Amino acid sequence: SAINQTREGQKHVRHAALSQNQPYLTPQETKMSDAPKEDAKPRPDWLSEGMEELADGEYDAIILGTGLKECVISGLLSVLGKRVLHMDRNGYYGAECASLNLSNLYTKFKAGTPPDYLGASREYNVDLIPKFIMACGNLTKMLLHTKVTRYLEFKSIDGSYVYKGGKILKVPASPDEGLRSSLMGMFEKRRFRTFLLYIDEYDIAKPETIKGRDLTTMTMRQLYTDFGLVPETHEFISHAMCLKTDEKHLDEPALATVKELQTYMYSLQRYGTSPYIYPLYGLGGLPEGFSRLCAIHGGTFMLNRDVDEILFNDKGEATGVRSGNEMAVAKFVVGDPSYFPREKIRPTGQIARCICFLNHPLPDIKGQSTQIVIPGPQVGRTNDIFVCSVGADLNVAAGGLFIAIVSTKTEKNDPEAELLPGLKLLGNILQRFTTVVTTYEPVADGQADKCFISSSYDAASHFEGDCEDLLSLYERITGSKLDMDINADSVEADY
């Protein structure tokens, strides 16, 4: 059914009986047409000469881009009673983290018409940024906090693997499975199990679980060594379980990394096969869910609308936006880096991603949906390479076909060569698309110029780092921390 979005952002579904070229009126429009004519609305003082009001004109917040972070912010602000205008230059939700059907994907990459052997376009939901959701991580807590879980359905990912010594090995899903793993020798397995039991029990608020180790000063390398673990095991735990993408954390206080390992273990215990969950029909459902939350609370959405200019006052504060000959004003502007002047952002690196279509699951892997972590040191690199594979069981590809995405933070000027260790693990590739994107972060916190800018999505295979940026963005905008004191045991729960 066609959806007509009014100026107030409410969604009205066109009834089938109105399909025959008849004028369609929303309930509000019908009421207005029957009412006596009123005097024209006075022209606001802020409206420049020759300009018209964009949507309702005045808002508390204007949000640019419908990426996940921006949609979470618009949903949360609307729940707080703020008037929100949310715009995107694209004709679909998701921005950088959209999920595209086959036709839109081929259009984006200017690749012509999709081949017939890939099947129907509508059967695909291809993520532009490959990530899984930690089952008991911060994003799951946000979904529960806002009750957006009612709009989505999730499945657990089949397994998590790590590349070691030229082989793909399963990451143990329990201490007992660790004892059977070929990742370590017999004595190392027992030390590994002892280490995991300590991490599972550790609680900084309970002195009896600390056992003489001050993790605010002891480094992660010292903690590993204290349990007698060898460097190869350090690498496996850090990259495949703590999900660190390089080696910097080894010489930093261990507490932050231990908390990340606890989240991984807690998530793993929840489902038993892997610590990850994934929404049916792709990650694009996440921003759409938060957009629905915003619309229900009165937010206005405008897709396919270019933002030509962010407007500033004499103090250098953002006051609104201009689109063509229309403008709207707000107390502040929120958005992803692509909407802001270059002096407001700085580059942080580049990420290479390769979207591949396969007619088989990944070789030597059990299950259709999997992740492989290739620790950088295993292939002579600093940064890890991630391989994510999804298929028809998650409603993202046609039956019998699979989507595998290889990604890494670039270190040289040769993305194809940097992705090659991951591409070699895929087997025969039917079609592939490679992108290299520059990542950005804001140069200021937004308090002075009223420009609250999110950072680009990181190279990790999960959303935990992006959630930290999102929580920071929320606090900078509202002046208060988002309440994350919620149990993430089950995405089916309704809190």
Side-chain angles (χ1 to χ4, degrees):
S1 56
I3 292 181
N4 176 39
Q5 285 189 263
T6 70
R7 290 160 68 91
E8 287 71 33
Q10 298 167 320
K11 294 182 178 179
H12 298 278
V13 180
R14 194 188 301 269
H15 194 278
L18 297 176
S19 60
Q20 302 176 349
N21 296 326
Q22 298 179 30
Y24 175 70
L25 296 176
T26 68
Q28 184 176 8
E29 288 167 340
T30 304
K31 181 179 177 182
M32 288 174 63
S33 66
D34 295 337
K37 298 292 183 183
E38 297 180 3
D39 293 337
K41 180 181 174 183
R43 188 176 180 84
D45 294 338
W46 53 262
L47 194 58
S48 302
E49 189 68 32
M51 300 294 291
E52 300 293 333
E53 289 183 68
L54 177 63
D56 286 338
E58 295 186 56
Y59 294 89
D60 293 309
I62 295 174
I63 300 182
L64 307 178
T66 54
L68 176 60
K69 297 177 189 179
E70 289 71 34
C71 287
V72 173
I73 292 294
S74 71
L76 293 172
L77 290 178
S78 66
V79 169
L80 293 174
K82 304 296 183 183
R83 294 168 299 163
V84 175
L85 171 62
H86 203 148
M87 303 173 64
D88 195 305
R89 62 173 68 93
N90 299 302
Y92 49 81
Y93 289 96
E96 285 186 13
C97 59
S99 300
L100 302 183
N101 64 31
L102 211 52
S103 297
N104 286 341
L105 183 76
Y106 271 69
T107 299
K108 178 178 175 62
F109 286 99
K110 298 180 174 61
T113 304
D116 291 339
Y117 61 76
L118 290 180
S121 172
R122 66 179 180 276
E123 294 189 82
Y124 286 85
N125 293 284
V126 183
D127 297 330
L128 296 181
I129 293 182
K131 287 180 183 281
F132 291 140
I133 302 169
M134 196 70 74
C136 296
N138 278 335
L139 181 54
T140 303
K141 290 181 179 181
M142 289 180 190
L143 289 162
L144 292 168
H145 176 90
T146 56
K147 301 183 181 178
V148 168
T149 48
R150 67 182 65 177
Y151 308 133
L152 299 164
E153 186 177 349
F154 295 84
K155 285 188 72 173
S156 61
I157 296 301
D158 292 331
S160 185
Y161 294 78
V162 64
Y163 179 89
K164 181 184 177 186
K167 297 180 180 179
I168 301 172
L169 302 171
K170 189 176 186 303
V171 178
S174 67
D176 290 336
E177 189 175 331
L179 292 177
R180 300 191 299 272
S181 172
S182 56
L183 275 164
M184 297 161 277
M186 178 59 68
F187 295 112
E188 186 72 357
K189 288 177 182 178
R190 298 192 179 279
R191 290 189 287 266
F192 172 69
R193 185 176 187 277
T194 302
F195 173 76
L196 288 190
L197 291 173
Y198 171 77
I199 297 297
D200 191 43
E201 294 175 359
Y202 180 85
D203 184 343
I204 197 168
K206 297 178 180 177
E208 67 274 15
T209 68
I210 295 174
K211 298 180 181 176
R213 298 180 179 95
D214 182 0
L215 301 191
T216 62
T217 57
M218 176 182 268
T219 67
M220 197 65 202
R221 193 189 306 274
Q222 289 170 336
L223 181 62
Y224 285 142
T225 304
D226 200 40
F227 279 88
L229 298 171
V230 300
E232 278 190 344
T233 307
H234 304 182
E235 180 183 278
F236 151 63
I237 297 172
S238 285
H239 292 265
M241 300 179 74
C242 304
L243 302 172
K244 293 295 188 181
T245 58
D246 55 37
E247 307 292 289
K248 295 176 186 175
H249 67 285
L250 288 174
D251 298 309
E252 297 172 348
L255 184 59
T257 304
V258 165
K259 286 183 176 179
E260 291 167 350
L261 181 52
Q262 286 180 325
T263 299
Y264 183 96
M265 292 169 64
Y266 190 17
S267 300
L268 195 54
Q269 291 163 10
R270 178 70 185 86
Y271 291 103
T273 55
S274 86
Y276 303 112
I277 57 175
Y278 184 87
L280 296 183
Y281 304 101
L283 295 175
L286 297 172
E288 286 184 25
F290 285 101
S291 297
R292 184 179 296 187
L293 178 70
C294 180
I296 287 172
H297 288 84
T300 302
F301 280 81
M302 302 183 80
L303 300 182
N304 248 337
R305 181 59 76 104
D306 286 327
V307 177
D308 297 312
E309 183 183 3
I310 296 177
L311 306 173
F312 293 88
N313 62 18
D314 294 339
K315 298 177 183 177
E317 298 169 332
T319 59
V321 299
R322 178 180 68 82
S323 176
N325 69 334
E326 295 179 307
M327 60 183 287
V329 295
K331 297 171 184 175
F332 55 88
V333 177
V334 182
D336 72 53
S338 69
Y339 286 90
F340 290 87
R342 288 291 180 217
E343 64 268 19
K344 301 288 184 185
I345 57 177
R346 58 176 164 242
T348 56
Q350 289 189 318
I351 299 174
R353 299 183 178 102
C354 187
I355 300 170
C356 303
F357 292 92
L358 314 176
N359 58 2
H360 55 83
L362 297 186
D364 306 318
I365 296 288
K366 292 182 179 179
Q368 294 191 30
S369 55
T370 54
Q371 178 201 72
I372 304 173
V373 178
I374 305 175
Q378 286 286 323
V379 289
R381 290 174 46 81
T382 299
N383 294 283
D384 292 359
I385 301 171
F386 296 100
V387 180
C388 295
S389 174
V390 289
D393 63 322
L394 295 171
N395 297 338
V396 296
L401 294 170
F402 300 83
I403 301 164
I405 306 179
V406 183
S407 59
T408 189
K409 190 170 183 178
T410 61
E411 298 172 7
K412 302 171 184 175
N413 237 355
D414 191 354
E416 289 288 334
E418 296 190 73
L419 293 169
L420 190 58
L423 295 172
K424 284 181 176 178
L425 303 180
L426 304 187
N428 181 52
I429 299 172
L430 300 175
Q431 179 86 51
R432 67 178 187 169
F433 301 99
T434 301
T435 62
V436 180
V437 297
T438 301
T439 55
Y440 295 92
E441 66 181 8
V443 298
D445 63 8
Q447 298 299 326
D449 60 8
K450 304 304 177 188
C451 292
F452 296 98
I453 308 172
S454 62
S455 295
S456 302
Y457 294 90
D458 62 28
S461 62
H462 55 87
F463 283 104
E464 292 306 291
D466 297 307
C467 284
E468 289 300 318
D469 178 51
L470 177 51
L471 291 170
S472 168
L473 186 62
Y474 179 85
E475 185 175 355
R476 292 182 345 240
I477 293 169
T478 65
S480 59
K481 293 181 181 291
L482 182 64
D483 178 16
M484 296 293 285
D485 187 19
I486 191 168
N487 192 329
D489 269 338
S490 170
V491 294
E492 289 85 20
D494 188 8
Y495 288 81

